[in-house]
Amino acid sequence: MKLKNLLLIVLLAIISVPCKSFYSKQIKQTNLKAKKVNIRTIKLFDSSTDNIKVDSKIEFIGEDSADFKLEEQKLSSWVNFGLVLGTVLTALYYLWINNATGYGDDYIRSIEILCQGNSEKAVAVLLLIFAASHSGLASLRPIGEEIIGSRAWRVIFGVVSLPLALSCVVYFINHRYDGTILWDFKNVVGMHELCWISSFVSFLFLYPSTFNLLEVAAVNKPKLHIWETGIMRISRHPQFVGQFIWCFGHTLWIGSSFMLITSCLLMLHHLFAVWNGDRRLEEKYGEGFTSVKERTSVLPFQAIIEGRQQIPKDYWKEFARLPYIVIALATVGAYYGHPFMQAGSYLLHW
């Protein structure tokens, strides 16, 4: 443990120097400006408060999701993104993944001791800790950003969420067939294809964070967005829908009581996230979010079927964008990379 504590102090000291220099340059804010979203909507951004002033006479329209224009990108921003990503992954490896220097194995062992070696209870505890930390920090975001700023709060959010999420993923991979096998549909004709297609579709819903990667890494100032195009026309909470599709496919394929418990807890967390996400958006944007909420739905296609959401004729163009293409390619890559992911998880013995 002495070696781990010494390494922790050294890495924090190394990381703090470039981070302090980098984030101090990013804190400069612009004055009040107006941004025209389309001919029906004008949003006024006050960068000092991040509030959006909505004229009651003008219809509020959510932001265009996955809108990525190459000509608007700054090379320096993506270089900084690479540096931040590299720093985070290096710290994650030495402080959490590496059993010789990290705390990940200690964390897993303590949970297993608490659960007396029962992996089904252990995964429940791991998921509950992650859910409480992830949603708790998201709920405290307005207070935290007011005290230490949005970038610093995003760093804290990532430092807490990433190792906890990784622990859940690795433990799931290593124990997914634990417990009782409730059914085995692997030999059913078309089951493999069904699970593959459901996984592919689920990832298109699961990762709207790719809409603003520079904000996720705190290279750009993080904001609480209201997206309304692309996947958001189908569901206002795509992560909830994507998680359901993923859980459905994987539960059918694996068929263990461990998998069933995992799926139920994941869905309970996302159900809470639906309520909490709407609450946070309404608290920040008020009538603006209410207007968007009236045109969208949580259940897929509900707003479209009811006529509350109008699909444009060139709707496909909202998906023919780099973030969606990256997700699609990454999903295919993850499928072929499954053996390597499993081998890596097995090496950790979590």
Side-chain angles (χ1 to χ4, degrees):
M1 294 298 293
K2 291 183 179 180
L3 176 60
K4 292 182 179 181
N5 292 335
L6 178 61
L7 183 61
L8 174 62
I9 294 172
V10 172
L11 280 174
L12 288 176
I14 294 173
I15 294 171
S16 66
V17 175
C19 284
K20 181 178 180 182
S21 175
F22 169 66
Y23 286 116
S24 64
K25 295 178 182 179
Q26 299 291 330
I27 291 176
K28 296 180 180 179
Q29 299 177 339
T30 58
N31 296 323
L32 183 66
K33 60 180 180 179
K35 177 182 179 182
K36 187 173 183 180
V37 179
N38 57 41
I39 58 174
R40 294 186 297 163
T41 308
I42 294 180
K43 296 180 184 179
L44 296 180
F45 291 88
D46 185 341
S47 59
S48 63
T49 62
D50 275 346
N51 289 329
I52 291 182
K53 302 176 181 179
V54 182
D55 189 335
S56 59
K57 297 180 181 179
I58 302 177
E59 184 181 6
F60 184 93
I61 307 296
E63 296 178 68
D64 188 10
S65 64
D67 183 23
F68 185 92
K69 294 182 175 63
L70 188 61
E71 63 273 13
E72 295 180 359
Q73 304 303 308
K74 295 181 179 179
L75 178 60
S76 59
S77 295
W78 288 102
V79 169
N80 288 329
F81 174 81
L83 292 174
V84 171
L85 181 62
T87 302
V88 169
L89 292 179
T90 301
L92 186 64
Y93 174 76
Y94 284 106
L95 297 178
W96 199 258
I97 298 175
N98 190 312
N99 288 334
T101 60
Y103 291 89
D105 57 333
D106 300 322
Y107 173 65
I108 296 295
R109 294 291 87 81
S110 65
I111 298 299
E112 289 187 324
I113 291 172
L114 175 67
C115 298
Q116 299 178 337
N118 188 311
S119 60
E120 292 173 310
K121 292 180 180 179
V123 75
V125 173
L126 287 169
L127 288 172
L128 287 172
I129 292 174
F130 170 75
S133 303
H134 190 269
S135 294
L137 288 172
S139 298
L140 292 172
R141 179 176 176 175
I143 299 174
E145 289 184 344
E146 185 176 346
I147 297 173
I148 62 175
S150 59
R151 285 191 175 86
W153 188 256
R154 178 55 60 88
V155 170
I156 292 175
F157 184 84
V159 166
V160 174
S161 297
L162 278 176
L164 294 180
L166 178 66
S167 298
C168 292
V169 171
V170 172
Y171 198 81
F172 164 75
I173 292 175
N174 289 347
H175 297 272
R176 62 192 184 280
Y177 286 104
D178 285 4
T180 304
I181 299 300
L182 304 174
W183 54 77
D184 187 358
F185 297 146
K186 291 185 179 65
N187 294 324
V188 175
V189 177
M191 182 56 65
H192 179 269
E193 290 74 14
L194 173 63
C195 293
W196 155 240
I197 293 172
S198 65
S199 294
F200 183 84
V201 173
S202 73
F203 275 75
L204 293 178
F205 282 90
L206 268 171
Y207 292 103
S209 61
T210 55
F211 296 161
N212 56 334
L213 275 179
L214 292 179
E215 291 183 26
V216 172
V219 174
N220 289 345
K221 185 177 180 180
K223 297 182 177 66
L224 188 60
H225 294 272
I226 301 183
W227 309 111
E228 198 181 350
T229 61
I231 205 74
M232 299 297 178
R233 295 186 189 273
I234 297 174
S235 172
R236 188 171 67 254
H237 289 279
Q239 288 180 306
F240 166 74
V241 177
Q243 190 65 74
F244 174 80
I245 297 173
W246 184 93
C247 287
F248 176 76
H250 281 74
T251 302
L252 275 180
W253 181 257
I254 295 174
S256 67
S257 56
F258 180 95
M259 183 68 232
L260 186 61
I261 291 171
T262 300
S263 293
C264 290
L265 288 172
L266 285 171
M267 290 313 303
L268 284 174
H269 180 209
H270 279 75
L271 277 171
F272 173 79
V274 166
W275 170 82
N276 196 39
D278 281 356
R279 179 194 63 79
R280 292 168 58 215
L281 287 170
E282 186 169 12
E283 184 178 86
K284 184 174 182 62
Y285 294 107
E287 293 181 1
F289 172 68
T290 301
S291 177
V292 172
K293 187 176 180 180
E294 291 174 352
R295 295 190 302 274
T296 56
S297 62
V298 176
L299 296 179
F301 301 103
Q302 180 183 356
I304 298 173
I305 294 172
E306 294 175 352
R308 294 185 285 116
Q309 176 63 239
Q310 301 298 319
I311 299 296
K313 294 181 179 180
D314 56 351
Y315 183 43
W316 65 272
K317 292 182 179 180
E318 295 182 4
F319 289 92
R321 294 174 173 178
L322 185 60
Y324 287 114
I325 295 173
V326 170
I327 293 172
L329 294 175
T331 303
V332 175
Y335 173 77
Y336 288 104
H338 261 65
F340 303 102
M341 294 166 57
Q342 294 172 9
S345 295
Y346 297 152
L347 288 174
L348 292 177
H349 302 292
W350 289 0

